[in-house]
Amino acid sequence: MAHRDFRSFLSAVEASGDLVTIDDEVDWDQELAGIGRLSCERNGPAFLFSNIKDYGSQFRIAANPIATWRRVAVALGLPADTPLRKLYEVYAEREDKTIPPILVNDAPCKDVIVPGDKVDLFDLPVPMVHEGDGGRYLGTWDLVVSKDAKTDWVNWGTYRFMVHNERLLTGFPRPTSHLGKMLLEGYVPQGRPMPIAIVIGADLPSHIAASATFKIAGNEAELAGGLGQRPVELVKCETSDLYVPASAEIVIEAEVYPDRVNQEGPYGEYPGYRSGEMGNAICARVTAITHRRNPILTLDTTGFMDSSATTTSISGAIAIKRRLEKHRIPVVDVYVPPEGGVHLAVVSVRGGGAAVTQKIVEVLTARRALMSKIIVVDEDVDVFNMAAVIHAFATKCHPDKGTHITRYAGRANTLTPAYSPQERIARSGATAAFDCTWPPQWPLESTPVRATLDSMYSPDVQQRVMQRWKKMGL
């Protein structure tokens, strides 16, 4: 069972040796985030900053809650050394066993209530995350609650938000995102402001559910309950009918204008590069802030190998596998390596070939094309072993016949660094699938045999080798 709130998660991470608390004064302007960024790049610990320049000990900032697999395991209530494949299996099992939330009247996130006319966003220790960012980003590791204008569908998602002034935020939900679709298809045509709640420092299953690749009209609160193996407690907002996790550290209630934009960006994003230039983005007016006493603001120092990379790796891979199964593709495993910035997927299949590879790329680019590269391997290649994947790619992918490219417009990932400014505006792009499987028409006797212990040695020899290996203490 997962930890009930963010503070108990931090205690568990500290017990596992993966949390460093810094009591010395650290500057909110890049220095604090820079420490977190280096930790991501070195697969290092999470950090809790308790003395922030200009803010003292009034607030704390926790950086990179689950930027490593060890911390993802702790977030799910598992031992920190849980193997990666096991993590995937547990997530998939719990995703199928959702648990509805329960409503409560009192909540820790209501310890302090700041009404709209008293709000000053600069009272919060919002960090300047990267040099060159368009401003100070409040929403990096957040959970944004929104509700469809026409139905009962409530969405939880992770979206970036930048402080524009004391009461205004600007944000970047992509038009193809669930929040973007709700706004553009529901509230904008009606000229109605869209209520949202930006939740910071909720229980980890709730954050993981919000950043998950989940179905349209899916209930992320129920998913969070399944992931944490207990119902999530929700409490009503002060200025809207939205409900938020009761244990959250900070909740920022706001309304998105249907007819107004403000400048936002650029920002160092999850693919590992700064995203474009400053441009028009949604504009949200803060209507209230509620928080716990001595609240903890959460920060994901976005870029190469951040917290979103691990969460998207698991949920995205499982979603891909289920989609391929739905289309009767003989998929065995799927892995989305965090090092790929959510732009690369590895798919293993039973019986590959050009036709299977082509169908895979067509299925995975039909609605939203987030992945620009897909590696397809035979089932004897462990997708979680990137050394084996690279070997298959280098030796089995035909440099001409093995590459399958699908081009599209209107649904490309605008954060793909390789796309030109014109392609990003048009949301046009392409996905390349690399067929690293043996052609099914090749006779068995002429198909190369891999020169590894498990492929080129008899079971008897393998057993004797492993026994001696173990006896030698290796």
Side-chain angles (χ1 to χ4, degrees), residues 399-421:
D400 179 17
K401 302 173 185 177
T403 304
H404 300 256
I405 299 176
T406 295
R407 296 176 175 82
Y408 36 76
R411 59 183 188 274
N413 184 352
T414 57
L415 293 178
T416 300
Y419 291 157
S420 68

Side-chain angles (χ1 to χ4, degrees), residues 153-173:
W153 173 32
V154 174
N155 174 246
W156 289 6
T158 300
Y159 305 100
R160 77 188 196 206
F161 277 90
M162 185 185 87
V163 176
H164 183 74
N165 62 28
E166 291 84 351
R167 285 197 66 180
L168 294 181
L169 293 164
T170 55
F172 183 69

Side-chain angles (χ1 to χ4, degrees), residues 223-398:
L223 173 61
L227 295 177
Q229 298 185 299
R230 61 154 56 97
V232 175
E233 294 184 348
L234 301 180
V235 67
K236 187 176 177 294
C237 284
E238 296 294 307
T239 60
S240 74
D241 291 331
L242 299 177
Y243 283 79
V244 296
S247 69
E249 294 288 329
I250 303 170
V251 177
I252 299 169
E253 303 179 19
E255 290 184 337
V256 178
Y257 289 104
D259 55 357
R260 180 174 172 180
V261 296
N262 267 334
Q263 296 289 289
E264 187 266 353
Y267 182 67
E269 266 289 1
Y270 69 84
Y273 293 88
R274 183 177 297 143
S275 60
E277 303 295 332
M278 181 171 281
N280 290 334
I282 66 169
C283 179
R285 176 177 172 271
V286 178
T287 55
I289 295 177
T290 70
H291 62 78
R292 297 181 69 155
R293 293 183 179 86
N294 303 118
I296 303 172
L297 189 147
T298 49
L299 164 68
D300 189 18
T301 50
T302 41
F304 178 63
M305 295 287 287
D306 57 19
S307 291
S308 67
T310 55
T311 55
T312 309
S313 170
I314 290 185
S315 66
I318 292 169
I320 288 172
K321 183 177 181 181
R322 290 181 172 166
R323 194 183 310 173
L324 295 178
E325 289 173 337
K326 182 179 179 180
H327 287 81
R328 299 184 178 180
I329 292 171
V331 58
V332 177
D333 277 316
V334 179
Y335 179 48
V336 177
E339 297 88 346
V342 199
H343 279 65
L344 170 68
V346 184
V347 179
S348 63
V349 294
R350 299 183 190 89
V356 171
T357 299
Q358 183 61 38
K359 188 173 182 181
I360 288 172
V361 72
E362 290 172 357
V363 168
L364 297 185
T365 57
R367 188 175 75 85
R368 282 195 300 170
L370 297 180
M371 302 287 175
S372 59
K373 297 169 186 68
I374 304 166
I375 297 176
V376 183
V377 296
D378 285 313
E379 63 178 315
D380 63 344
V381 176
D382 180 2
V383 298
F384 298 100
N385 182 347
M386 287 307 294
V389 172
I390 292 171
H391 180 246
F393 173 71
T395 59
K396 296 174 67 175
C397 181
H398 192 286

Side-chain angles (χ1 to χ4, degrees), residues 38-232:
L38 182 61
S39 185
C40 287
E41 294 165 14
R42 295 188 175 182
N43 202 35
F47 284 90
L48 181 63
F49 299 94
S50 62
N51 186 358
I52 303 162
K53 184 180 178 182
D54 301 329
Y55 295 91
S57 59
Q58 183 180 1
F59 292 90
R60 291 170 289 172
I61 294 180
N64 308 320
I66 53 173
T68 65
W69 292 123
R70 287 176 56 84
R71 300 202 290 278
V72 172
V74 173
L76 294 175
L78 301 172
D81 58 357
T82 300
L84 179 55
R85 181 181 289 277
K86 180 65 176 178
L87 275 180
Y88 267 59
E89 292 172 355
V90 169
Y91 186 102
E93 291 170 0
R94 295 185 184 180
E95 189 182 67
D96 283 335
K97 299 176 182 178
T98 58
I99 299 175
I102 57 176
L103 305 183
V104 299
N105 294 320
D106 298 316
C109 70
K110 304 283 190 179
D111 285 350
V112 177
I113 300 175
V114 182
D117 60 350
K118 302 294 184 182
V119 164
D120 185 344
L121 289 168
F122 294 106
D123 287 341
L124 302 175
V126 182
M128 188 72 173
V129 184
H130 318 93
E131 182 178 2
D133 285 352
R136 296 166 67 174
Y137 273 82
L138 177 67
T140 57
W141 185 248
D142 60 5
L143 181 168
V144 183
V145 182
S146 57
K147 185 177 183 297
D148 186 64
K150 304 173 185 177
T151 69
D152 292 332
W153 173 32
V154 174
N155 174 246
W156 289 6
T158 300
Y159 305 100
R160 77 188 196 206
F161 277 90
M162 185 185 87
V163 176
H164 183 74
N165 62 28
E166 291 84 351
R167 285 197 66 180
L168 294 181
L169 293 164
T170 55
F172 183 69
R174 286 175 289 198
T176 55
S177 69
H178 293 176
L179 189 152
K181 289 176 67 66
M182 283 183 174
L183 177 65
L184 296 176
E185 296 176 7
Y187 291 88
V188 170
Q190 299 178 23
R192 291 169 52 197
M194 177 181 183
I196 62 171
I198 303 171
V199 179
I200 296 171
D203 59 285
L204 265 296
S206 290
H207 277 290
I208 294 172
S211 60
T213 303
F214 203 46
K215 58 189 176 183
I216 288 183
N219 190 317
E220 285 87 2
E222 293 183 358
L223 173 61
L227 295 177
Q229 298 185 299
R230 61 154 56 97
V232 175

